Each structure stands twice: as C-alpha cells, then as structure tokens.
Amino acid sequence: ALTACATPQPEDAATSLREHALQDQAGYAFVRDLTTEVGPRMGGTEADARAVAWTKARFEQMGFDKVWTEPVTFPQWQRTHERAHVLGKFPQPLHITALGGSVGTDGELQGEVVMVDDYAALVATPSARVKDKIVFIKNRMRKHKEGAGYGEAVIARGKGALEAEAKGAKALLIRSIGTDSHRFAHTGMMSMSAGSPQIPAAALSNPDADQLERLIAKGKVNLSLDINVGWTGEYTSHNVIAEITGNKKPDEIIVIGGHLDSWDLGTGALDDGAGVAITAGAAYQFIKHRLRPGRTIRVVAFSNEEQGLVGAKAYAKAHANELDRHIVASESDFGAGPIWALKTRLNNADEAFIARATALLKPLGIEYLGNDATSGGPDIIPLAEKGVQLFQLKQDGTDYFDYHHTADDTLDKIDPVAFNQNIAAWTVMLHLFANEWQMDQ
Amino acid sequence: ALTACATPQPEDAATSLREHALQDQAGYAFVRDLTTEVGPRMGGTEADARAVAWTKARFEQMGFDKVWTEPVTFPQWQRTHERAHVLGKFPQPLHITALGGSVGTDGELQGEVVMVDDYAALVATPSARVKDKIVFIKNRMRKHKEGAGYGEAVIARGKGALEAEAKGAKALLIRSIGTDSHRFAHTGMMSMSAGSPQIPAAALSNPDADQLERLIAKGKVNLSLDINVGWTGEYTSHNVIAEITGNKKPDEIIVIGGHLDSWDLGTGALDDGAGVAITAGAAYQFIKHRLRPGRTIRVVAFSNEEQGLVGAKAYAKAHANELDRHIVASESDFGAGPIWALKTRLNNADEAFIARATALLKPLGIEYLGNDATSGGPDIIPLAEKGVQLFQLKQDGTDYFDYHHTADDTLDKIDPVAFNQNIAAWTVMLHLFANEWQMDQ
Ligand SMILES: [Zn+2]
Ligand SMILES: [Zn+2]
Ligand SMILES: [Zn+2]
Ligand SMILES: [Zn+2]
C-alpha cells in the first residue's frame, strides 16, 4: 500500500517533501481509521487496549524501522450513566456529563442549587451559603485563537469540586469548559494534585447552563442528580512508539507525537487522533520517499494524557538515561486547525537555521514567533522539565473548544486541507531538525 | 406589566405598529418563558398539560379579550430510552433516537445491517436482501433556504419502516432528516396513514451515519439495538385559543398561530415555541397600543402538530360551522429566521391591497411573491382544504433543519433581531387583514 514517489532532489529536499506532504493521504487515513475502527478510547477501557494494538499494527504497516510498546499503569475510572433533572414547578431534564475522576451519587441525590459567578467567587463564598447545597459555577469560557480562555475557565473544573466539598457542598456543577452553544456537555479531568474530591462533579452543556441560570432567576431551584461513575481498579495500558533510525547521528532523537487516548464521549478525532496522525503522517514522508533522516525520528502515541499525562510521565521515567540524546521534542495536541506560527525553545536558535525554517514555512502561511516557546504540548512537559529543547507549531484553535471533550469530537470536524497543511509543516520541521540543525557540531 | 406606548396616528397606523413591533419584547418573553418554565412538551406527556395551562395563563396576562381551550384527543406515545452499538471487531456506541410512533425492541435486538441509498432504493431492493436484517437508509438531506431538501428526504422517515417491514426486515435505521453535522439524532413522526409499523425505527445522527457508512465499507456490520418506546394509551390535550374581538366586523376571523407541542428531545424553541410567540406577539401589538382591530384576530396554539396535525384537525372539526367566517389563516412553523417573502392565496388579491402590503413589508426586507401560496403552515392544512384563504410569511430556513427535532432546539438558537422582524411582519399583515382588506364589501 506504500506508493513510492519520485525522490526529491537533494538541493531542495525540504521544499519537495513539503509539497508532497500536502498531497499525501497516509496521515488522514490514520485518523480516519483510528476513529472508525477503534472509536472512543478512554484510558482504562477495553478500547484502550484495542487502540494500542491498532496503532502498533498501523505503525508497522507504515514501515517504521522499529515499533514497540512500553507499559503505563494508572487507576481506572469508569462512566456508566449520568442524569440530571429539575424538580419542582418547572421539571425538565438537563444535559450533563460527569467530570473525570468524579465519584458517583450512589443513587439519586437531590439538592438546592447555589450559583456562583466563577471559581474565585466560590472561594470567596462563606461555607454557610453552600453547605449541603449543589454548587453551580456559571462563568462561560471565551473563544480565542490560542485557547487563552481555557486557562482562565478550567480552574472551575480542576479545583471546583475540592473547594465546594471543603465548604460542605453536596455536589458540584459547572458550565462546560467549552465555547459552543450546543447541548454537548464537555468532560475533562479534575485536578487530583491536592486530593480526590469525594462529592460528585459534572458539567452542564452551555444551553443547559443558560437554562439553569434562567430558572434560578425565577426562584429556588432543586435538582436531582443520578451519576454512576467512579474509580474501579488499576489498569496497564501502553505508550506506542515508532522510530525511523537516522543514518548520520542515529543516537540523537527527535521526539514527536500526540496522545492516543481520547475521552469516552466522542471518537477523539480532534483530541487527539489528529495529533498522532499528523506527526506519524509527517514522519511517514521520509519512509515513503526513501529519504533516511540524519537523526532518529521517534513518534510516540502517548497513553492516557487525559487523566494526568500518565503516559508522558512513564515515558520520561523509562527514558531518563537517554534524555540528553533527545535533541528536540514537540507534540500536536490542539486539534487539526491550520498552523499559523512556529515557536522554538532552543539553546542556540542560530539565525541561519531560523531563516531557513521561516522560508520553508512561509508558503504554508506560517510565521516565526521567536525562541521563547513555553510549551511543546502537554505530553512534552515531563521532557521539557528535564531540559529537552522544544519547538511548537501553533494551530488556530478558535473552534477547538467547540468540540473538545464532547460527543461531537468526530472525524467530520477535521478539515482535510488544514490537516495536510499540518503534515507539511511537521515534515519541514522534521527535515530541518534531522538533516540541517547543528549537523556540523 | 403592559406598558402603553404613544398611540400611532391613524394615517400611518400600520407603519407605526411595524416600527413599535420591532422593539417590543412580549413575543420574545413568550418563547423564552415557555421554553424555560415548561421546557420539552411532547404531546401526551405531563409537560403537555403544563404547556396548556402555561399558555392559557400567559394569553390572559397579555390581555386578550377571550382565552379558552378546546379538547384534543390522541393516542399516547412515550420514549424511555434508546441505545445502539456496533458489535464485532469495531465495537462502539452510535447515537440514535427512535422515530415517533416506533415500537420498541423488547430488550436487545441484534442484526446485520443492509445499507440502501435512499427510500426509492429500498423499494427497489428484493426482499431476500433485507429479510431479517436491519435496513439502513443512508441519503443525506440537502440544505435549502425554503427547506426543499426536507420533502425529498423525509419519505425515509415517513414510509421507510413500513417498507422495510413488508420486505421482512427486523428494524429500520435512517440517517437523520437534518442538515447539521453534530451528534444529535433528529426524531419526527413516521407516516401512520398506511398502517403502524411493527418493527422498531430510529434515526442516526449525521456523524454516526457517516461512521456506519465507513464501517460498512470495511465489511459486515452487526448492530445491537435497545429501544424502549411505544404506544401507551389515550390522552386528551387542548388547543389554547386567544382572541381580540373586532369592532367593525367581529364575526370575521383572522386565524393565526403555531403549535404548542414540541418533540421531547429539545425545548422546542424553534419548533414551534417561536411560531406561537411570534403570532401572539404580533396580535399583542393591538392590545398594547389599544388599537382595536376591525376584524377579530384569533391566535391558536395548536395541540400535537407533531404526531399528525391532531390539534389542527380537531380545530377544523370543532369550528366547521364558522369556517366561512374564517376570512384568512396562516401559521408560523419554520423556526425564527428572517422573513424574506410574502405569498397569498386569496380569492381576490386586488392590486391596491398587494401594493399596500408590498410597501409596508419592503422596509423589513420582504418581497411579494404572488397569489399562489401552496400552504399556510401545517396546522392550516385542514382549513385550507375547506377553502379558507391563506397568506404565508416565508422565513429563511437555511439553518432550520440543523436543529429541527433534536435536543439542540433551544432558546439560544433564536436570533432576537430576526425574531422581532417576524413580529413586525406579522403585525403588518394583521393590520392589513383586520383593517384594510375588503372592508367595504
Ligand atoms: Zn489532548
Ligand atoms: Zn483532551
Ligand atoms: Zn413544527
Ligand atoms: Zn416539528
């Protein structure tokens, strides 16, 4: 199934690779088939194991030199059902989804709702006001190309339940951390760093949060919650790793990838089937065109990013003794919108190299934004903390949080043209880091 | 709560009413409060009775001269749950919703899927191919300003189950009759005119129908269906009727309205809370400005349109002996998009009257399209069949079938500016028919 194309001429290998990458279908086929054949693949579910086996087989089929898995163990969290409805004069269902790591309601839980403006307002609320109540945090995430609204809003999901519990509340509801106005509740993990909340926590879709606000404006609102979720044991999944061995500096490794797990509600096309597929699809350009890279290119499909970077931490630990040979790292984990900027965090971003990158990326509509990248993607955090250098291909994420962590994260949300622009940009960066960057040192 | 405005001058009463109507909030408050306080209100549910009581109270509060209800009896159909998942190598859930009037699966039903292009292809398929299979009709409804794609596609929902059953199939799945790409399945009634199908029938959301097509392309697909719905008895609901009595020709009645029932999945903002609210909001302009119309204006909130125009048929029967005094009728039941055209079906559409209507509607961006209206709205069909004259204010329905009959039909989908343009246009038409049309005859 691997069609060989005319080999690009050495003098313009990067340009030729870029143009071929724009047309190649292997990356798109990866995300299409992963989301179709495996579908939703939350860490710790039966589909997690199928996703690992599927990805290993696909990497082998694509012709990587080495393909292997590494174990990743974590507590298992499961979702059975979740329901909410308004009691009293205006009875009606509300669409919710439990937050990752939530406990269940153990049958039906009823309570009066106390609404607060945002997480900070909850912190400032006296316990007497929320004790034995259901806290509802109402603030809405704003849309932003770089997802700046996420960091502002997500604290309600991360820390809301623990704060509400500390004040004696019996449950937490938040407005979904999402920018759409459809009746999809957005799930996502609570922060477990300060402890695991013992009250149930769930998100309302934006239209349902609007509805609850309107109902509260009319008087006291009592809700019934029936949430069956919880921690059920321990599970061992795997990072899936594929490598093209370099022919000049094989011991120097460029690490790229995405995370293989998704939430359970959608099929994880944008988050993060796309990221694995884009990076694997870019690496595949070297296989397809029989252009062996100078350095080693390693693609990692990280296990269970969603529930706490579990695979990323396991990878950093397992490879601790070779991290000095990880010369640069980056992840794609912000959907499949067009890339508009490159950032780097290199110890020495020499002008000639940056000029070369800028020239190669410009035809793709990508500008260089400087050597002050703050992130190479969530799964790269453990590597960055150990001093691994970074690059970041910044995607337009304006619509990303319309779909993020919802049932609506499905293949049709990927624009194939933008998707292949991503592959072309990653291919350029792989070429530059594998064959041109500091090769004489 | 009823603020009196400066009374428009007689010479430009229509213009003044139109401009005031653009600013009035009573119509929007109607649909906001109905969808918030009652929420989903499928015919035959406990919410149906609440909707009737709510609407009667609101009509009275708005100051109509007479408000009353008339009984409407129909078989009761209920929905408890519906689930689908793919069996075999690629197990995953699919989002479905049962079609109105479907029977349940009586526990789990498993079967192999046979895909056909459209309803016509099903008709042409030999029984041997679909016997004991689950038939899947895959064609997608196209977007169109006037909803032309609906008529083409909806036959799969209307007649698919009966046809599949006649060929020995064990269940029917259709691609939702909808134009969005979100994971909302669109419900809606099957045609019961040729008999009530005895096999379960459900719709897949568009992304799920795409997924099923991709899975079928990979080989045989077996599905599990668990659908708990069905006919449960008989129910009596009510049409809710409000009237402003004319002061010149009180016996001549202008009938307008929408349908009060919605499907159970959403809150029925677009279908058809908007229609009742727009027409009631337009009639309210005469109350608010203390301008008694020459003819009687009657607003009907029809019961259970969705399951077969039940309220409309009951109204036509109950008022059979006064239909000759129903001088014109029209319903709003196509969402809340801006109105772009007027059509009429009048026995004598005299030029002066049409010129007057055209001049008054032009500032709202509405053109006159002729005296050949084919419909005054679904609930007007029984009246039109008896010869009642019609007008039709045609809304832009390009996005209507993105939300139609889904959980996503909620208040946020109504654009308040377009909504009030509707109220202004209806107010103009009410003024013209109540005070100017054929008043000297
Ligand atoms: Zn992610
Ligand atoms: Zn995520
Ligand atoms: Zn309708
Ligand atoms: Zn309808």
Side-chain angles (χ1 to χ4, degrees):
Chain A
L2 310 182
T3 313
C5 286
T7 302
Q9 297 304 303
E11 61 267 29
D12 70 341
T15 302
S16 181
L17 271 168
R18 182 190 69 206
E19 296 305 306
H20 280 81
L22 282 171
Q23 303 303 325
D24 187 55
Q25 292 305 305
Y28 187 79
F30 192 112
V31 67
R32 181 193 64 210
D33 295 347
L34 173 66
T35 58
T36 300
E37 297 181 9
V38 180
R41 50 196 180 279
M42 182 167 75
T45 60
E46 63 78 30
D48 181 333
R50 284 194 290 121
V52 167
W54 186 95
T55 304
K56 184 165 183 285
R58 178 59 60 105
F59 281 162
E60 287 165 351
Q61 187 192 340
M62 291 170 88
F64 284 90
D65 295 322
K66 295 184 212 164
V67 178
W68 73 97
T69 63
E70 298 178 357
V72 179
T73 299
F74 48 84
Q76 187 178 39
W77 182 83
Q78 294 193 317
R79 183 196 314 269
T80 305
H81 67 248
E82 50 228 340
R83 304 183 197 108
H85 66 268
V86 180
L87 301 168
K89 276 195 301 182
F90 308 135
Q92 56 190 288
L94 294 175
H95 287 215
I96 64 165
T97 192
L99 301 183
S102 178
V103 298
T105 53
D106 194 17
E108 190 188 6
L109 178 157
Q110 296 192 355
E112 184 189 332
V113 181
V114 172
M115 182 166 74
V116 298
D117 284 347
D118 53 21
Y119 175 76
L122 174 59
V123 171
T125 297
S127 297
R129 190 172 165 240
V130 303
K131 185 162 164 45
D132 293 326
K133 302 293 200 311
I134 298 171
V135 169
F136 166 45
I137 304 179
K138 79 168 189 187
N139 64 301
R140 180 188 281 268
M141 177 183 168
R142 68 184 169 100
K143 271 207 181 207
H144 185 273
K145 183 178 178 181
E146 299 184 56
Y150 191 61
E152 299 160 6
V154 79
I155 192 168
R157 190 183 82 205
K159 299 189 174 176
L162 214 54
E163 183 67 22
E165 181 185 12
K167 292 193 147 77
K170 59 166 72 163
L172 175 75
L173 288 177
I174 64 170
R175 181 187 281 274
S176 280
I177 311 302
T179 51
D180 60 303
S181 192
H182 295 295
R183 291 187 82 188
F184 297 113
H186 297 239
T187 190
M189 204 64 188
M190 296 190 286
S191 169
M192 294 289 153
S193 57
S196 184
Q198 295 304 305
I199 60 169
L204 291 152
S205 85
N206 270 313
D208 289 271
D210 295 342
Q211 184 84 329
L212 184 53
E213 285 196 39
R214 283 190 295 268
L215 287 165
I216 288 169
K218 293 175 187 294
K220 279 195 183 183
V221 174
N222 283 278
L223 293 183
S224 161
L225 300 176
D226 178 0
I227 300 175
N228 191 333
V229 297
W231 299 101
T232 50
E234 198 175 77
Y235 183 92
T236 296
S237 178
H238 295 83
N239 290 328
V240 187
I241 305 175
E243 208 170 82
I244 307 171
T245 310
N247 64 359
K248 293 200 176 72
K249 299 190 173 192
D251 289 347
E252 296 190 7
I253 303 163
I254 302 159
V255 174
I256 59 172
H259 62 86
L260 184 55
D261 65 308
S262 73
W263 280 102
D264 52 337
L265 304 177
T267 63
L270 295 172
D271 185 17
D272 183 32
V276 181
I278 287 165
T279 53
Y284 173 68
Q285 301 311 304
F286 296 83
I287 302 170
K288 178 179 181 181
H289 298 294
R290 301 195 178 116
L291 287 170
R292 185 157 292 280
R295 293 190 174 93
T296 291
I297 295 171
R298 182 179 288 177
V299 180
V300 184
F302 290 99
S303 174
N304 203 352
E305 183 271 350
E306 295 292 1
Q307 298 174 1
L309 311 182
V310 194
K313 290 172 186 167
Y315 178 89
K317 191 172 175 189
H319 296 268
N321 66 356
E322 63 166 17
L323 290 190
D324 57 335
R325 297 189 284 108
H326 284 51
I327 60 133
V328 72
S330 187
E331 181 181 36
S332 174
D333 184 22
F334 199 50
I339 294 169
W340 61 278
L342 167 69
K343 279 193 166 190
T344 57
R345 196 179 87 189
L346 304 173
N347 298 334
N348 181 5
D350 69 274
E351 273 183 38
F353 177 78
I354 295 304
R356 175 88 167 126
T358 303
L360 283 165
L361 293 174
K362 193 174 179 202
L364 298 173
I366 300 169
E367 59 181 325
Y368 181 65
L369 283 192
N371 195 39
D372 57 349
T374 54
S375 167
D379 290 307
I380 305 303
I381 293 171
L383 303 180
E385 286 173 354
K386 297 288 183 189
V388 174
Q389 299 174 86
L390 310 175
F391 69 95
Q392 185 181 20
L393 288 164
K394 293 173 78 73
Q395 294 165 300
D396 185 329
T398 307
D399 297 334
Y400 181 58
F401 292 102
D402 287 357
Y403 306 112
H404 183 251
H405 296 186
T406 71
D408 211 23
D409 178 3
T410 48
L411 182 65
D412 51 292
K413 309 310 181 303
I414 294 181
D415 169 12
V417 173
F419 184 88
N420 265 54
Q421 184 255 18
N422 275 255
I423 291 188
W426 280 87
T427 301
V428 164
M429 296 312 296
L430 288 178
H431 172 85
L432 290 173
F433 282 115
N435 297 323
E436 299 193 11
W437 186 58
Q438 299 190 329
M439 284 306 277
D440 306 324
Q441 293 175 334
Chain B
L2 309 182
T3 313
C5 285
T7 302
Q9 297 304 305
E11 62 269 29
D12 69 340
T15 302
S16 182
L17 271 169
R18 182 189 70 206
E19 296 306 304
H20 280 82
L22 282 172
Q23 303 302 326
D24 187 54
Q25 293 304 306
Y28 186 78
F30 191 113
V31 67
R32 181 194 65 212
D33 295 346
L34 173 65
T35 58
T36 300
E37 298 181 8
V38 181
R41 50 196 180 279
M42 183 168 75
T45 61
E46 64 79 29
D48 181 333
R50 283 194 292 122
V52 167
W54 186 96
T55 303
K56 183 165 183 285
R58 178 59 61 105
F59 281 161
E60 285 164 353
Q61 187 190 340
M62 291 170 88
F64 283 90
D65 294 323
K66 295 184 211 163
V67 178
W68 72 98
T69 64
E70 298 178 357
V72 179
T73 298
F74 47 84
Q76 186 178 39
W77 182 82
Q78 293 193 317
R79 183 195 315 268
T80 305
H81 68 249
E82 49 227 342
R83 303 183 197 108
H85 67 267
V86 179
L87 301 168
K89 277 194 302 184
F90 308 135
Q92 57 191 287
L94 295 175
H95 287 215
I96 63 165
T97 192
L99 300 183
S102 177
V103 298
T105 54
D106 193 17
E108 190 190 4
L109 178 157
Q110 296 192 356
E112 185 190 333
V113 180
V114 172
M115 181 167 73
V116 296
D117 285 345
D118 54 20
Y119 175 77
L122 174 59
V123 171
T125 297
S127 297
R129 189 171 166 241
V130 302
K131 187 162 162 40
D132 293 326
K133 303 292 199 313
I134 298 172
V135 168
F136 166 44
I137 304 180
K138 79 168 189 187
N139 64 302
R140 180 187 281 268
M141 178 183 168
R142 69 184 167 100
K143 269 206 182 208
H144 185 274
K145 184 178 177 182
E146 299 184 57
Y150 191 62
E152 298 159 7
V154 78
I155 192 168
R157 191 183 83 205
K159 299 189 176 177
L162 215 55
E163 183 68 22
E165 182 185 10
K167 291 192 148 80
K170 60 165 72 163
L172 174 75
L173 288 176
I174 64 169
R175 180 186 283 274
S176 280
I177 311 302
T179 52
D180 60 303
S181 193
H182 295 296
R183 290 186 84 188
F184 296 114
H186 297 239
T187 191
M189 204 64 189
M190 296 191 287
S191 168
M192 295 289 154
S193 57
S196 184
Q198 295 304 305
I199 62 169
L204 292 151
S205 85
N206 269 313
D208 289 270
D210 296 342
Q211 184 83 328
L212 185 52
E213 284 196 40
R214 283 189 295 268
L215 288 165
I216 288 170
K218 293 175 187 293
K220 279 193 185 186
V221 174
N222 283 277
L223 293 184
S224 162
L225 301 176
D226 179 0
I227 300 174
N228 191 334
V229 296
W231 299 101
T232 49
E234 197 175 76
Y235 182 91
T236 296
S237 177
H238 295 83
N239 291 328
V240 187
I241 305 175
E243 208 170 82
I244 307 171
T245 311
N247 64 0
K248 293 201 177 71
K249 298 190 173 191
D251 288 347
E252 296 190 7
I253 303 163
I254 302 159
V255 174
I256 60 172
H259 62 84
L260 184 55
D261 65 308
S262 73
W263 279 102
D264 51 338
L265 305 177
T267 62
L270 294 172
D271 186 16
D272 185 27
V276 180
I278 286 165
T279 52
Y284 173 67
Q285 302 310 305
F286 295 83
I287 302 170
K288 178 178 179 182
H289 298 295
R290 301 195 178 116
L291 288 169
R292 185 158 293 278
R295 292 190 174 93
T296 290
I297 296 172
R298 182 179 287 178
V299 180
V300 184
F302 290 99
S303 174
N304 203 352
E305 183 272 349
E306 295 292 2
Q307 298 175 1
L309 311 183
V310 193
K313 290 172 187 168
Y315 178 89
K317 193 172 174 189
H319 296 269
N321 66 354
E322 62 167 17
L323 290 189
D324 56 337
R325 296 189 285 107
H326 283 51
I327 61 134
V328 72
S330 186
E331 181 180 37
S332 173
D333 184 21
F334 199 50
I339 294 169
W340 60 279
L342 167 69
K343 279 193 166 191
T344 56
R345 195 179 87 191
L346 304 173
N347 297 336
N348 180 5
D350 69 274
E351 273 184 39
F353 177 77
I354 295 303
R356 175 87 168 126
T358 303
L360 283 165
L361 294 174
K362 192 174 180 202
L364 298 173
I366 300 169
E367 59 180 327
Y368 181 65
L369 284 191
N371 195 39
D372 57 349
T374 55
S375 167
D379 289 308
I380 306 303
I381 292 171
L383 302 181
E385 286 173 353
K386 297 289 181 188
V388 175
Q389 299 175 84
L390 309 175
F391 68 95
Q392 184 180 20
L393 287 164
K394 293 174 78 74
Q395 294 164 299
D396 185 329
T398 307
D399 299 333
Y400 181 60
F401 292 102
D402 288 355
Y403 306 113
H404 183 251
H405 296 186
T406 72
D408 212 21
D409 178 1
T410 48
L411 182 65
D412 51 291
K413 308 310 181 304
I414 293 180
D415 169 12
V417 173
F419 184 88
N420 265 52
Q421 184 256 16
N422 274 255
I423 292 187
W426 280 86
T427 301
V428 164
M429 296 312 296
L430 288 179
H431 172 84
L432 289 173
F433 282 114
N435 297 323
E436 300 192 11
W437 187 58
Q438 299 191 329
M439 284 307 276
D440 306 324
Q441 292 177 338

